[in-house]
Amino acid sequence: MAFPYSEGSDYAESLLSAKLLFMESVFSWYAVYTAVKAEKSVKEQLDKAGIESYLPLQSIVRSWNNRKRKVMVPVIPGCVFVRLPMDEVTRIKSMKGISFLLREEGRYVSIPEDQMETFRSMVENTDELVEFTEELASGVMVQVVHGQLKGVKGELVDYQGKDKLMLRIVGLGSALVVVTADSVEKMK
């Protein structure tokens, strides 16, 4: 008879699963606002401190003195996302370059994991420019069925005369990316 606590046993596996679920529920994503053009240095500091972070970057073409060059710029200027337990939030507030954390009604705003996963997918899996704007009117819930964003769910909205997939991020606003009408299906 195997010892119930030994590695590989069903009991040990269920304990590990419970621990992982607990860790997922304790760790949350938060939006950190940085000093002007300090996003990359703040991200480096967070990485050195062992804090999980995400700086959504995208490639755009900039022109200087008749030269064109591709540069990586933040999708949300002045914002880096961190994932950590609520009791460690105060630990990062004093880091150089961090201005403040997003708050509503005196509490830090925790961004749901599924919204962060969808946002990351939107930024990392499309060649289209991802825009960020304040809250918009509701659109039709759709899922992308073809193309680079296949599987991503969001709202289909008409923004500046174009069909765009919108993802609302709690407390921040909405991320938008151009999609074609034939690449999405209405969700039931």
Side-chain angles (χ1 to χ4, degrees):
M1 180 173 152
F3 185 62
Y5 303 109
S6 63
E7 189 175 328
S9 72
D10 289 340
Y11 184 75
E13 291 298 318
S14 65
L15 278 178
L16 180 60
S17 294
K19 182 178 180 181
L20 290 173
L21 281 172
F22 176 74
M23 293 299 289
E24 286 295 319
S25 67
V26 171
F27 281 69
S28 296
W29 285 101
Y30 299 94
V32 176
Y33 285 91
T34 68
V36 176
K37 299 193 185 266
E39 302 93 347
K40 291 177 184 176
S41 65
V42 167
K43 167 86 169 107
E44 287 173 10
Q45 285 183 73
L46 292 165
D47 290 346
K48 284 180 186 172
I51 297 171
E52 184 179 355
S53 61
Y54 176 60
L55 173 57
L57 296 171
Q58 61 188 346
S59 178
I60 65 166
V61 176
R62 290 255 166 98
S63 298
W64 293 280
N65 300 330
N66 298 327
R67 287 185 336 189
K68 289 187 178 184
R69 186 172 172 207
K70 274 190 173 185
V71 293
M72 297 298 285
V73 298
V75 173
I76 308 170
C79 185
V80 175
F81 297 93
V82 295
R83 186 170 181 264
L84 45 92
M86 173 59 127
D87 60 350
E88 288 189 28
V89 168
T90 54
R91 177 178 147 203
I92 66 166
K93 286 177 21 178
S94 62
M95 285 183 159
K96 185 178 180 195
I98 292 181
S99 298
F100 62 94
L101 278 86
L102 180 65
R103 295 175 87 140
E104 276 185 1
E105 298 175 12
R107 297 183 59 162
Y108 296 113
V109 176
S110 171
I111 300 168
E113 188 77 30
D114 62 330
Q115 287 181 5
M116 283 303 298
E117 285 177 20
T118 302
F119 180 55
R120 285 180 92 143
S121 180
M122 184 183 278
V123 171
E124 295 168 4
N125 296 319
T126 185
D127 295 328
E128 297 289 336
L129 184 68
V130 177
E131 299 174 71
F132 208 81
T133 186
E134 298 297 317
E135 291 292 324
L136 296 173
S138 294
V140 176
M141 290 301 296
V142 296
Q143 180 169 359
V144 180
V145 292
H146 304 348
Q148 297 169 321
L149 295 174
K150 185 176 181 177
V152 173
K153 297 175 185 172
E155 295 175 61
L156 186 65
V157 295
D158 179 0
Y159 183 72
Q160 297 177 344
K162 295 182 180 174
D163 284 336
K164 296 199 177 187
L165 182 69
M166 178 176 69
L167 168 68
R168 294 180 194 276
I169 299 179
V170 172
L172 275 177
S174 303
L176 300 160
V177 67
V178 174
V179 290
T180 58
D182 63 344
S183 69
V184 296
E185 279 183 2
K186 187 175 179 179
M187 292 176 57
K188 297 175 181 160

